Amino acid sequence: MIRVSLIPLALILGACQTVEPAPSPQFPVMDWRHEDGRDYSYLMAPGDTLSVIFHTAPELNRETVVAPDGSISLPYIGAVQVSARSAGEIRAALMQAYASELKDPDIDVIPTGFESQRIFVGGEVNAPGMMDLPGQIDPLQAIIMAGGFNDRAKPSNVALMRRMPGGQVMTAVIDVNSGLNDPALADWTPLRRFDVVYVPRSKIAAENLFVQQWIRAALPVDFSFYYDVSGALRD
């Protein structure tokens, strides 16, 4: 059984957040499962490689790797945040940035390397941390890869988080225990790159607030930058 909600990004990682997020809208589970098959633009992440081509200034052409903080470094303009942006969004940002540096900027951005096929499993598992995504697996398989539940785990209340194209962060609370007891209830969505699976030790009473607080403190830096797409990262 899965409960899904959509959380505004400003509530996820806002450094100045002082109030508890308002209850988020509810979305049918099948809508999220169907999302997995849609043809969305690839979003760059730390470790990916992209080629930046300057048609009117070829001496500036370069291939660069997205740094752990989600940035690339380019001549004249320095560091540019590209994490969680599509090639089209990056191109538009670079065209604007170079408008004051080049007479006639004509730039293409082409993703060339896709190294960030990882997920993060944390909380009450025996071997929490980042791990490679070995294909189409579900949250339970990811937990097993992380050493399985420890004796403090609450398998009926597993949290799953995903950043969607367009900037939304979707979270679900999954009753893994029900699926283990009755396979007919194991309606778990396949995981995708940079998904976060968290196993708590007690019931998640305030889902929005829980995710907002936990992600800031527990995620590795490259995952944090992938999810923190508010503020300067989306200007």
Side-chain angles (χ1 to χ4, degrees):
M1 183 179 298
I2 304 177
R3 184 176 72 254
V4 179
S5 61
L6 194 65
I7 304 177
L9 284 176
L11 300 182
I12 296 293
L13 287 167
C16 297
Q17 179 72 33
T18 57
V19 298
E20 181 173 342
S24 55
Q26 299 300 307
F27 289 79
V29 173
M30 291 307 296
D31 285 356
W32 197 18
R33 292 182 60 83
H34 179 66
E35 180 274 334
D36 287 271
R38 296 183 185 178
D39 186 18
Y40 284 116
S41 297
Y42 184 85
L43 304 182
M44 302 302 295
D48 288 344
T49 305
L50 54 84
S51 180
V52 183
I53 301 171
F54 296 80
H55 295 285
T56 55
E59 67 277 9
L60 301 180
N61 291 355
R62 62 199 55 223
E63 189 166 281
T64 182
V65 177
V66 182
D69 67 356
S71 72
I72 60 173
S73 184
L74 295 173
Y76 303 128
I77 63 173
V80 179
Q81 286 288 346
V82 300
S83 184
R85 286 179 167 180
S86 67
E89 291 175 315
I90 298 168
R91 178 182 183 274
L94 295 184
M95 292 282 286
Q96 181 177 2
Y98 275 100
S100 60
E101 303 292 341
L102 300 176
K103 182 177 180 181
D104 184 23
D106 183 8
I107 303 170
D108 274 332
V109 175
I110 303 173
T112 56
F114 311 98
E115 300 299 324
S116 56
Q117 304 300 317
R118 291 176 295 172
I119 58 175
F120 184 84
V121 182
E124 302 304 325
V125 293
N126 289 308
M130 291 188 296
M131 58 191 66
D132 292 332
L133 185 62
Q136 187 165 305
I137 64 172
D138 61 37
L140 176 59
Q141 290 170 307
I143 291 166
I144 293 171
M145 289 171 57
F149 297 109
N150 64 30
D151 57 7
R152 298 181 300 275
K154 187 77 171 180
S156 62
N157 222 221
V158 175
L160 169 64
M161 183 172 64
R162 175 176 301 167
R163 185 192 182 282
M164 309 293 283
Q168 303 91 348
V169 170
M170 184 172 282
T171 65
V173 175
I174 302 171
D175 186 353
V176 174
N177 198 50
S178 292
L180 288 171
N181 295 330
D182 182 355
L185 300 177
D187 189 26
W188 303 321
T189 183
L191 296 181
R192 296 177 59 185
R193 60 193 290 269
F194 272 72
D195 277 358
V196 174
V197 178
Y198 181 81
V199 180
R201 66 173 61 187
S202 60
K203 182 176 174 58
I204 300 173
E207 180 184 331
N208 291 1
L209 186 60
F210 166 80
V211 173
Q212 176 217 7
Q213 292 175 338
W214 178 80
I215 186 177
R216 278 205 301 248
L219 283 186
V221 63
D222 47 358
F223 272 71
S224 295
F225 275 98
Y226 186 77
Y227 279 97
D228 186 8
V229 293
S230 59
L233 275 66
R234 299 290 291 185
D235 286 344

